[in-house]
């Protein structure tokens, strides 16, 4: 027999398994700072930077950690977290706060659903309201609507998995079904191959054909896999004929699928196909607000707006940026403000920022208030003019990477205290005047449009 691997090597194995299961960015944020302290009596003690860290890891990664521990160390092992208290000059204490056993999985049982994905925390916007309504209808009466199968398609990170799982979670919670099975098309494929290899096709059929709702995520990965497609086709027919609900997600419309059997595609068209589009500014802002509320984290509104305005491609990226900020705040104990946020997200947001110039801001603000932009740059103290100037300065500070000093120089070289004063005035007004805040948000949007 080979001698067992030393504990450090097992820890490395654990990390590799985790690394392969989650996005790169999340791994760097949450797992790199983790330190393995000791392994005593099947208990692995690790140190994490703060309570927030621990809460976050437990909330989001406990089932991945549990499987990775089981796979690397063995199922009898458990993980104990400790938080570093005090700075390096003091004696370091490791405070065990809670242990997580290898078999403590967070996902619910055989359904493979993640409880985090619900309708309650799915923010509705123009981009997804039809998809959401269809999903809700299906989860209230699985198999009984005309929406069978329900096919949800859209680009990456737009909420397909969230919505698909919300259907299963809702239907189970409200006792609409007894068995809901959620699976990625890759897992379905692996299960099928294993069942053929191990001669256990009855088990496989039982697992999938006895579902009241079968949710297949990312079904585009069936492309090119003929035997799996055939198996899925039969599973589909069996379920459909007995009035069971089928929900599929795809990264493109069914008609754009290559290497997929025509008879399978035609099945997809029997029910309802809906799409999810990229979220608009308001939806992005609402998603972020909901997220910080849920996680009880304080991030100032102007920082959230900055994220919502600048990260428009998909929700996952939006959340990734928020996580980066929260992780930083949690490790360093520093409050997040706009300059810090800009610095921390430089690599993600820089490209876009470059294209927004002070001049565009001055012109757009000027046009908005009907004031020529040279007056905005000028010295007039007339109320309307100075208001638009203050707003323009405020926005420059927010939307560009210019320092206060360089903003001053682009506004006719006045005293740099003027910019600070303008920012204060607008901020103060915001707390009193909701309309002004809306005006400002529309203005920012307009500037964004003018800049691209
Ligand atoms: P997809 O499966 O389309 O790639 P996901 O469902 O994995 O996207 O969504 C990525 C992340 O964004 C998830 O954490 C999800 O909860 C979140 N998300 C996406 N859309 C919304 C929304 N409308 N409201 C709240 N969270 C959302
Ligand atoms: Mg997905």
């Amino acid at each position: 027999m080979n001698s067992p691997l030393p504990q450090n090597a097992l820890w490395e194995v654990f990390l590799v398994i985790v690394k392969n299961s989650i996005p790169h960015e999340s791994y760097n944020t949450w797992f790199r700072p983790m330190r393995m302290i000791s392994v005593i009596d099947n208990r692995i003690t690790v140190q994490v930077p703060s309570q927030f860290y621990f809460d976050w890891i437990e909330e989001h990664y406990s089932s991945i950690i549990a499987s990775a521990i089981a796979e690397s160390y063995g199922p009898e092992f458990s993980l104990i977290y400790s938080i570093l208290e005090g700075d390096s000059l003091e004696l370091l204490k490791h405070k065990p706060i809670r242990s997580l056993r290898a078999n403590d999985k967070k996902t619910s049982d055989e359904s493979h659903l993640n409880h985090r994905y619900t309708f309650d925390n799915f923010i509705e916007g123009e981009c997804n309201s039809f998809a959401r309504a269809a999903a809700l209808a299906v989860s209230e009466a699985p198999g009984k609507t005309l929406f069978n199968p329900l096919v949800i398609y859209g680009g990456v990170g737009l909420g397909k998995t969230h919505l698909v799982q919300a259907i299963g979670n809702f239907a189970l919670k409200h006792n609409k079904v007894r068995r809901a099975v959620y699976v990625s098309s890759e897992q379905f494929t692996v299960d099928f191959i294993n069942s053929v290899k191990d001669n256990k096709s009855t088990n496989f059929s039982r697992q999938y054909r006895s579902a009241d709702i079968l949710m297949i995520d990312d079904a585009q990965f069936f492309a090119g896999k003929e035997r799996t497609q055939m198996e899925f086709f039969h599973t589909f027919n069996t379920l459909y004929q007995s009035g069971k609900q089928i929900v599929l997600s795809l990264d493109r419309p069914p008609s754009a699928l290559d290497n997929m059997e025509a008879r399978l595609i035609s099945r997809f068209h029997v029910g309802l196909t809906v799409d999810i589009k990229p979220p608009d500014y308001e939806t992005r802002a609402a998603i972020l607000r909901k997220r910080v509320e849920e996680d009880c984290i304080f991030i100032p509104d102007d920082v959230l707006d900055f994220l919502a305005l600048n990260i428009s491609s998909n929700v996952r990226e939006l959340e990734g940026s928020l996580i980066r900020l929260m992780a930083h705040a949690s490790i360093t104990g520093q409050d997040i403000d706009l300059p810090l946020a800009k610095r921390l997200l430089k690599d993600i947001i820089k490209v876009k920022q470059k294209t927004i110039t002070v001049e565009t801001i001055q012109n757009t603000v000027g046009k908005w208030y009907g004031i020529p932009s040279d007056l905005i740059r000028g010295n007039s103290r007339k109320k309307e003019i100075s208001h638009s100037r203050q707003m323009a300065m405020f926005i420059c500070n927010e939307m560009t990477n210019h320092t206060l000093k360089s903003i001053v120089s682009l506004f006719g070289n006045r005293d740099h205290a003027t910019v600070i004063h303008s920012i204060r005035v607008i901020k103060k007004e915001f707390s009193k005047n909701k309309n002004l805040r809306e005006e400002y948000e529309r203005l920012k949007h307009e500037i964004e449009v003018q800049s691209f």
Side-chain angles (χ1 to χ4, degrees), residues 116-117 121-123 128 155-162 287 315-316 319:
R116 194 173 84 74
Y117 296 124
N121 61 15
F122 187 81
I123 302 287
N128 60 32
V156 48
L158 297 183
K160 301 183 297 294
T161 298
H162 189 136
I287 290 173
V315 183
R316 190 170 298 144
E319 287 188 338

Side-chain angles (χ1 to χ4, degrees), residues 6 108 132 145 170 178 199 213 235 244 375 398 401:
S108 79
R132 181 185 176 278
T145 66
F170 183 99
R178 289 215 346 267
N199 251 332
I213 301 185
T235 306
K244 307 299 189 190
L375 288 186
E398 194 147 316
N401 280 331

